[in-house]
Amino acid sequence: MHGKNSINNLLKNVSYILLLVLADLVVLFLLFYAARYLRIHVLPFFYSGFPSDAPFRKLSNAWWLFPIWLFFLFYEGLYTRRLSFWDEVNAAWKAAFFSTVGIFAIVSIGKMSDIVSRTSIIIMGCLSLVFLPVVRIEAKRLLYRVSGLRRRVLILGAGETGRLILRALRKEPNLGYDVIGFLDDDPAKAGMKVDGLKVHPGVDRAASYLRAGRVSDIIIAMPGAGKERIQNLINTLQHQAQRILYVPDMHGIAVLGTSLLHFFHEQAFALELKNNLAQPLNFFMKRS
């Protein structure tokens, strides 16, 4: 039964990726034609120096643009990772930037400026900054609803941190998480409801939920449980759950410019907080 479920999940994931790739291709084709239209019919009104010949006279010359875009979308993990709204936007922007730069490099090295419109490439890149993230996010939400790929999540810890992560997940439908309830060791919380979800007794019962297939992911939101307790939970559940999210009691700090620094030899990590305002351009923009 478990093997059958695994195969079904694999087929669903493959179908999801293929449909998302198809949605991206449709958007990219529309952006390409929009950029070409603006280059031919709009920009000459503002600047007469554009060549009179229509860019991409043979549309077959443009087919290779789209695999480059797909490559960078894959590279940024936009088909394999579940990202929050702003992480999705950031990754899509990076993919758009690198795709545009990569295409420009190929055009320059291959001396293809006579058959490829660099202005259209720039316009397509600029349009993608707005339309690509919006369409992708809506497409992912639709696919989550119809494909059965939403993840059933159990939160360990019904305290303040657990409530906070529940609110956060409900505000991020782009992640495709469905929280089904809480587990908590405090007997006083057993049976109570937190934002409409029931609190069940016994954090150690999480393994039975995973084995029964009732949940796929676990979120550990127990910052006061102690280091040893957290380590035991992670070591026990990490080979049974598809994903484990550990939420430390550090909410309230700035998240922009924050990244994880890994120390592989010591099996430790640290949060790296960058001072973005140390760069004069960022400081000027914020002051403006």
Side-chain angles (χ1 to χ4, degrees), residues 10 15 27 30 32 53 55 62 68 131-132 156 206 223 231:
L10 176 62
S15 301
V27 175
L30 293 176
F32 169 77
D53 289 343
I68 293 176
F131 294 102
L132 184 61
L156 308 189
Q231 285 180 337

Side-chain angles (χ1 to χ4, degrees), residues 251-268:
H251 58 276
I253 65 172
V255 294
L256 290 178
T258 303
S259 59
L260 277 180
L261 182 63
H262 298 88
F263 303 99
F264 291 98
H265 292 290
E266 302 299 329
Q267 294 185 330

Side-chain angles (χ1 to χ4, degrees), residues 39-57:
R39 161 62 183 83
I40 296 173
H41 300 288
V42 178
L43 292 185
F45 284 106
F46 300 95
Y47 176 62
S48 60
F50 285 108
S52 57
D53 289 343
F56 296 106
R57 293 182 297 276

Side-chain angles (χ1 to χ4, degrees), residues 134-168:
V134 172
V135 174
R136 292 194 93 259
I137 288 170
E138 292 303 320
K140 289 178 73 172
R141 291 178 182 176
L142 176 62
L143 288 173
Y144 285 150
R145 286 199 297 268
V146 301
S147 66
L149 283 174
R150 294 188 64 84
R151 294 187 178 277
R152 292 169 61 83
V153 182
L154 195 61
I155 298 178
L156 308 189
E160 181 180 351
T161 304
R163 297 166 189 248
L164 181 143
I165 198 65
L166 173 62
R167 293 194 298 270

Side-chain angles (χ1 to χ4, degrees), residues 160-274:
E160 181 180 351
T161 304
R163 297 166 189 248
L164 181 143
I165 198 65
L166 173 62
R167 293 194 298 270
L169 290 177
R170 285 178 170 175
K171 293 177 181 177
E172 290 286 356
N174 195 55
L175 291 171
Y177 285 151
D178 284 333
V179 181
I180 66 166
F182 292 86
L183 291 181
D184 200 284
D185 286 332
D186 186 354
K189 295 179 181 177
M192 66 180 293
K193 288 193 174 183
V194 175
D195 292 337
L197 295 179
K198 188 175 180 179
V199 179
H200 302 272
V203 167
D204 292 328
R205 295 176 58 197
S208 64
Y209 281 87
L210 291 168
R211 286 193 296 268
R214 298 174 64 184
V215 296
S216 61
D217 293 19
I218 295 291
I219 298 178
I220 302 176
M222 304 165 53
K227 174 183 174 182
E228 185 175 346
R229 174 65 165 151
I230 297 297
Q231 285 180 337
N232 289 336
L233 280 172
I234 293 176
N235 292 335
T236 301
L237 301 175
Q238 66 175 342
H239 298 299
Q240 302 180 54
Q242 294 185 25
R243 286 173 179 80
I244 292 181
L245 280 70
Y246 170 60
V247 185
D249 189 14
M250 298 180 65
H251 58 276
I253 65 172
V255 294
L256 290 178
T258 303
S259 59
L260 277 180
L261 182 63
H262 298 88
F263 303 99
F264 291 98
H265 292 290
E266 302 299 329
Q267 294 185 330
F269 64 86
L271 281 177
E272 181 181 8
L273 307 176
K274 298 177 183 178

Side-chain angles (χ1 to χ4, degrees), residues 21 75 107 172 198 201 285:
V21 168
Y75 181 79
V107 171
E172 290 286 356
K198 188 175 180 179
M285 291 177 64

Side-chain angles (χ1 to χ4, degrees), residues 14-75:
V14 172
S15 301
Y16 163 79
I17 292 174
L18 291 177
L19 289 172
L20 196 55
V21 168
L22 179 61
D24 285 337
L25 282 174
V26 171
V27 175
L28 292 173
F29 273 114
L30 293 176
L31 292 178
F32 169 77
Y33 280 105
R36 188 170 179 268
Y37 179 86
L38 291 173
R39 161 62 183 83
I40 296 173
H41 300 288
V42 178
L43 292 185
F45 284 106
F46 300 95
Y47 176 62
S48 60
F50 285 108
S52 57
D53 289 343
F56 296 106
R57 293 182 297 276
K58 295 182 179 180
L59 296 182
S60 59
N61 293 331
W63 70 268
W64 57 273
L65 303 177
F66 305 103
I68 293 176
W69 277 86
L70 292 180
F71 169 79
F72 283 107
L73 289 170
F74 268 106
Y75 181 79

